[in-house]
Amino acid sequence: MAKKGKGKKKGGKKHMTEEERVHFYETQLLAEEENRKKKEELLTQFLKDKLAKEEKANEFNKLKLQNQWRAIMREAKATELTKDIEILSQTFERIVDRKDAIIKSLAQDLEEAEDQYQLALRSHLQNIDTLVEHQSSRINALHREYSDELDQLKGEYSTERGKMVQSHKFECNDLQDIMFAMDQEFNELKTEALHDFQSQKDEIKNKNLEEKHALRMQLEGAVEELWRQFQEALRQYNSTTEDRKKHFEELKAKDMKSAQEIEMQMRKLQKIHDNINQQKSKMACNARDCEERNKMLKDEKEAILVHFSQLKGQMNKFRENQRARLTALTVLSTKTIGELKKTYEKGERILKLSEMCRKLETEEEKVLPFYASTLTEQEEQEIDSVVKQEPENQLAQVMHEFDHMNNFWKRFNKVMLDKLSLEQARVQLSEENQQLRTLLKQYLDGISVSDEILSHNNPLFIVNNRSNVPVRIHIDPRQKHQVKTVVEAAHIVHNTI
């Protein structure tokens, strides 16, 4: 029976057409693909289940290990902390004893400094009173000089103003005369120009009328000549186109015959076109099946590519962000290193200068480095109340942050005042030196004899106990005080740093 069945199958395959045979092989390939996919899905599901079990077991073992390590680390940390607490308690007691001794010594120093401060304050107030008296007398003298110079300037200004007003009036009269003469000359030129313009206008108008009449005569003759030429060309055209008309009729008849032949050929082409459309419809049916399969595969491929591009974009963004953060971090680190180096160098320079300045300080500056405040108790209380308030703007907040620099600014202001006083003394000494030089020059010129010197005033030529050279007597306001030698800070910095 099996043999007969096989024979029938073979015979059935022989009687199959080509399309049925292709369809049969395609169904077999599809069935094999479905079986292969089912096997792959079962295998992947089995591996996923196995992987999930392994992950659960791994997590459970990690938790056990972490709990054991926590207990061991807690015991080790507890022993370390007890040892650290014992060491810290001993060091704290030692530091407290040392601080108590320092506080006692500082309290004694404060009492001594307070006594010295009171002495320095009394001497400072006496010096201020003398300076105020000297300044008031100097201001009165300057006020008198200012009033005298002001009266002189007012007189000079009034005389110069009168002269300028007179010269202004004279110049205005001259300009009016000049403008009147220019107006008359301009009117004469205007009348002459109008007369010339009218004469030229009439001449040009007559000339244009003559030229217009001549051009009209020429154009009428040219139009008649063109009309005659046009008539002759029309007669020649009619005589030459008769032969061409006959040839056109013959070609028209041939065209009718060829049109009938073309219609017969078009019918044959229509039949061939219908057969081609039938074959195309069959091909389209087969192409649709293939297109559906290809479309499914393309969709899967595009989805995978989109997912891949998204992951790649996320990875690139993450890399760019990390790179930007790294570059910003490196730039900021280099800037901070540079700023720290500058501050370190500046601090070293300030310390060197402070050590040099400390060597040059007087005993009074060493004992009383800060001057006493000149404010009353009520003003100090008002300032304390304002300082205790919370800052409202950013500038006030910055001022509160730099409140601990008050002592530094006191010493800085004291140094600046000393510097200004030294500069003023230097200017006065330079003026005195210049005056002494002039007096010495006058004396040397007086003892020498020459024509140039005799033509000027001579300080040694005295008549009735008076010299003919004015001598300015310089009064030094610093004679009341003791003169002290001073070394400039710029000289010390230039030679030591």
Side-chain angles (χ1 to χ4, degrees), residues 112-124:
E112 293 175 357
E114 185 67 25
D115 296 333
Q116 293 174 359
Y117 169 71
Q118 294 296 331
L119 292 171
L121 181 63
R122 285 194 290 273
S123 64
H124 179 67

Side-chain angles (χ1 to χ4, degrees), residues 230-243:
F230 177 72
Q231 292 294 330
E232 288 179 358
L234 182 63
R235 285 195 298 272
Q236 289 177 2
Y237 175 75
N238 289 326
S239 63
T240 54
T241 54
E242 288 180 358
D243 296 333

Side-chain angles (χ1 to χ4, degrees), residues 270-326:
Q270 186 66 34
K271 290 180 181 178
I272 294 165
H273 186 67
D274 293 335
N275 291 325
I276 290 167
N277 287 329
Q278 290 178 1
Q279 296 295 327
K280 282 183 179 180
S281 62
K282 290 180 182 179
M283 290 172 70
C285 292
N286 295 325
R288 285 172 191 169
D289 297 332
C290 296
E291 282 178 359
E292 289 178 357
R293 294 174 190 170
N294 292 329
K295 189 176 181 181
M296 290 171 68
L297 293 171
K298 284 180 180 179
D299 292 336
E300 290 178 359
K301 183 180 179 182
E302 288 176 356
I304 292 165
L305 289 172
V306 168
H307 184 62
F308 174 72
S309 63
Q310 289 177 356
L311 292 173
K312 192 173 181 180
Q314 291 176 1
M315 186 175 68
N316 290 328
K317 286 180 181 178
F318 180 74
R319 285 179 179 175
E320 289 176 357
N321 292 327
Q322 294 297 323
R323 191 181 292 110
R325 289 176 66 186
L326 183 61

Side-chain angles (χ1 to χ4, degrees), residues 149-176:
E149 290 177 359
L150 183 64
D151 294 332
Q152 290 177 3
L153 289 171
K154 284 180 179 179
E156 292 175 358
Y157 173 73
S158 61
T159 55
E160 288 179 1
R161 187 175 180 278
K163 291 178 182 178
M164 290 174 73
V165 169
Q166 289 177 1
S167 64
H168 177 69
K169 288 180 181 178
F170 181 72
E171 289 175 357
C172 287
N173 293 324
D174 292 339
L175 289 172
Q176 287 177 359

Side-chain angles (χ1 to χ4, degrees), residues 9-63:
K9 285 180 181 178
K10 288 178 182 178
K13 286 181 182 179
K14 287 179 182 179
H15 292 293
M16 284 184 185
T17 61
E18 290 182 357
E19 292 179 357
E20 291 176 351
R21 191 176 298 165
V22 169
H23 183 68
F24 177 72
Y25 286 130
E26 285 179 355
T27 52
Q28 283 183 353
L29 290 170
L30 289 171
E32 289 176 358
E33 269 186 32
E34 289 177 358
N35 292 326
R36 185 174 57 78
K37 286 181 180 179
K38 286 179 181 178
K39 289 179 182 179
E40 288 179 354
E41 287 176 357
L42 291 171
L43 184 61
T44 54
Q45 187 65 34
F46 175 74
L47 292 172
K48 285 179 181 178
D49 295 336
K50 190 174 181 181
L51 182 63
K53 289 178 182 179
E54 290 291 333
E55 287 179 352
K56 288 179 180 178
N58 192 8
E59 289 177 357
F60 182 71
N61 292 326
K62 279 183 180 179
L63 291 171

Side-chain angles (χ1 to χ4, degrees), residues 73 160 189 248 256 271 277 333 384 394 497:
M73 290 171 75
E160 288 179 1
L189 292 172
F248 175 73
M256 293 292 288
K271 290 180 181 178
N277 287 329
S333 64
D384 292 334
Q394 190 174 3
I497 295 176

Side-chain angles (χ1 to χ4, degrees), residues 254-494:
K254 289 180 182 179
D255 184 59
M256 293 292 288
K257 290 180 181 178
S258 61
Q260 290 176 359
E261 291 178 357
I262 288 166
E263 188 177 356
M264 293 294 290
Q265 295 294 329
M266 287 296 291
R267 289 174 183 172
K268 292 179 181 179
L269 288 170
Q270 186 66 34
K271 290 180 181 178
I272 294 165
H273 186 67
D274 293 335
N275 291 325
I276 290 167
N277 287 329
Q278 290 178 1
Q279 296 295 327
K280 282 183 179 180
S281 62
K282 290 180 182 179
M283 290 172 70
C285 292
N286 295 325
R288 285 172 191 169
D289 297 332
C290 296
E291 282 178 359
E292 289 178 357
R293 294 174 190 170
N294 292 329
K295 189 176 181 181
M296 290 171 68
L297 293 171
K298 284 180 180 179
D299 292 336
E300 290 178 359
K301 183 180 179 182
E302 288 176 356
I304 292 165
L305 289 172
V306 168
H307 184 62
F308 174 72
S309 63
Q310 289 177 356
L311 292 173
K312 192 173 181 180
Q314 291 176 1
M315 186 175 68
N316 290 328
K317 286 180 181 178
F318 180 74
R319 285 179 179 175
E320 289 176 357
N321 292 327
Q322 294 297 323
R323 191 181 292 110
R325 289 176 66 186
L326 183 61
T327 53
L329 182 63
T330 53
V331 170
L332 291 172
S333 64
T334 53
K335 286 182 180 178
T336 50
I337 289 165
E339 293 294 331
L340 289 171
K341 285 180 179 178
K342 289 179 182 178
T343 51
Y344 179 72
E345 291 173 357
K346 191 174 181 181
E348 286 184 347
R349 190 165 175 271
I350 289 166
L351 290 173
K352 288 179 181 178
L353 291 172
S354 64
E355 289 176 359
M356 290 164 55
C357 294
R358 196 176 291 113
K359 293 177 182 178
L360 300 172
E361 284 180 354
T362 60
E363 292 181 358
E364 185 180 357
E365 289 176 347
K366 290 179 181 178
V367 174
L368 297 172
F370 309 111
Y371 60 86
S373 178
T374 58
L375 300 174
T376 60
E377 293 182 358
Q378 187 177 0
E379 291 176 347
E380 289 181 353
Q381 289 176 0
E382 289 177 357
I383 291 168
D384 292 334
S385 63
V386 172
V387 170
K388 288 178 181 178
Q389 292 178 1
E390 293 183 357
E392 295 179 356
N393 53 9
Q394 190 174 3
L395 181 60
Q397 189 175 0
V398 173
M399 290 174 69
H400 277 283
E401 290 178 357
F402 287 93
D403 192 15
H404 57 276
M405 297 287 288
N406 287 331
N407 292 328
F408 169 76
W409 290 118
K410 285 181 181 179
R411 295 192 71 178
F412 181 77
N413 293 330
K414 187 177 179 183
V415 172
M416 286 297 292
L417 291 171
D418 293 337
K419 182 183 175 184
L420 292 172
S421 64
L422 290 171
E423 287 177 355
Q424 290 178 358
R426 185 178 180 182
V427 171
Q428 291 175 358
L429 288 171
S430 63
E431 291 176 356
E432 185 180 356
N433 189 10
Q434 187 65 30
Q435 189 173 4
L436 291 171
R437 284 175 183 273
T438 54
L439 291 172
L440 182 61
K441 185 176 182 298
Q442 289 175 3
Y443 177 76
L444 293 173
D445 292 338
I447 61 175
S448 61
V449 178
S450 64
D451 294 334
E452 185 179 358
I453 292 167
L454 291 173
S455 63
H456 296 90
N457 293 325
N458 196 336
L460 297 179
F461 185 70
I462 298 168
V463 178
N464 294 327
N465 295 322
R466 291 183 180 179
S467 176
N468 57 2
V469 177
V471 179
R472 295 178 65 186
I473 298 169
H474 179 72
I475 298 169
D476 190 3
R478 297 177 292 104
Q479 289 178 358
K480 296 180 182 180
H481 305 286
Q482 186 180 357
V483 179
K484 297 180 181 179
T485 57
V486 179
V487 180
E488 290 187 357
H491 179 71
I492 296 296
V493 172
H494 181 71

